[in-house]
Amino acid sequence: MTAREPFVHPSSIVDDGARVGCGTRIWHFCHVSAGADIGAECVLGQNVFVADGVVVGDRVRIQNNVSLYDGVVLEDEVFCGPSAVFTNVRTPRSGVSRKDEYARTVVRRGATIGANATIVCGVEVGAYSLIGAGAVVTADVAPHRLLVGVPARAVGWVSHAGEVLGDDLVCPRTGRQYRLEREDLVDA
């Protein structure tokens, strides 16, 4: 069996030196910079920008109008909703170069970033967490946490399947059971 070649829409630009994995689809008006590393079976929606130094894992979905700047890492199976925002400098100024101050931002496996959410640089978004639409994340997010608001605050837990968990901590979609151990959600 042969791996599928990546698809790049003719209106998009993938600079020489960028790595794009098998089966990845890059749609209209995207730009992938030379030092970017994009995994297999990803989808980049319309008008996505991926800078040098960005790492995107396998099976990641990046919806329209998302820009990933140097220092952003998206692990496998991350979902970025439309117009989600990632920053890479905490105190930007037009007249002051801060390229040596880029802060690393990591979004762990299976996490979801909602539409129009902002992820301020230098944070880690935990595995399988869910950031609600329009939220502004300014601090690390624990795995499986549901965050909403400005600034984002934890309001619950979500399952591996992305379902909000009730007090019984049972996924309504899969029946998978969880329990709280200290401040962490773990399999029961």
Side-chain angles (χ1 to χ4, degrees):
M1 175 186 265
T2 32
R4 293 183 316 156
E5 289 296 315
F7 166 80
V8 178
H9 189 273
S11 66
S12 289
I13 299 168
V14 176
D15 291 341
D16 289 341
R19 188 190 82 71
V20 178
C22 295
T24 289
R25 296 178 306 273
I26 300 173
W27 292 102
H28 304 75
F29 312 114
C30 294
H31 182 189
V32 179
S33 299
D37 185 351
I38 299 173
E41 302 295 329
C42 296
V43 176
L44 278 65
Q46 181 174 302
N47 197 38
V48 169
F49 172 71
V50 184
D52 289 335
V54 169
V55 177
V56 175
D58 296 336
R59 297 170 304 284
V60 171
R61 300 292 182 262
I62 304 169
Q63 302 300 87
N64 297 352
N65 304 312
V66 174
S67 293
L68 303 175
Y69 298 109
D70 193 359
V72 174
V73 175
L74 305 179
E75 291 187 345
D76 295 348
E77 299 173 355
V78 165
F79 178 90
C80 291
S83 302
V85 175
F86 292 85
T87 68
N88 67 354
V89 174
R90 288 198 181 268
T91 57
R93 288 283 196 235
S94 176
V96 179
S97 176
R98 290 200 169 36
K99 290 183 179 185
D100 60 336
E101 298 175 28
Y102 290 164
R104 188 168 189 255
T105 299
V106 179
V107 181
R108 297 289 180 197
R109 178 184 190 95
T112 294
I113 309 298
N116 293 306
T118 298
I119 311 299
V120 175
C121 63
V123 302
E124 181 175 311
V125 176
Y128 302 101
S129 60
L130 193 152
I131 309 303
V136 177
V137 175
T138 60
D140 290 349
V141 177
H144 292 280
R145 276 311 230 167
L146 170 61
L147 270 69
V148 298
V150 179
R153 65 194 181 289
V155 296
W157 299 97
V158 293
S159 70
H160 283 84
E163 298 291 336
V164 177
L165 299 174
D167 292 338
D168 62 359
L169 299 179
V170 175
C171 177
R173 178 176 299 269
T174 66
R176 189 173 185 168
Q177 297 179 354
Y178 299 88
R179 65 183 166 78
L180 289 174
E181 188 173 286
R182 291 180 225 110
E183 296 287 322
D184 297 322
L185 188 73
V186 297
D187 284 314

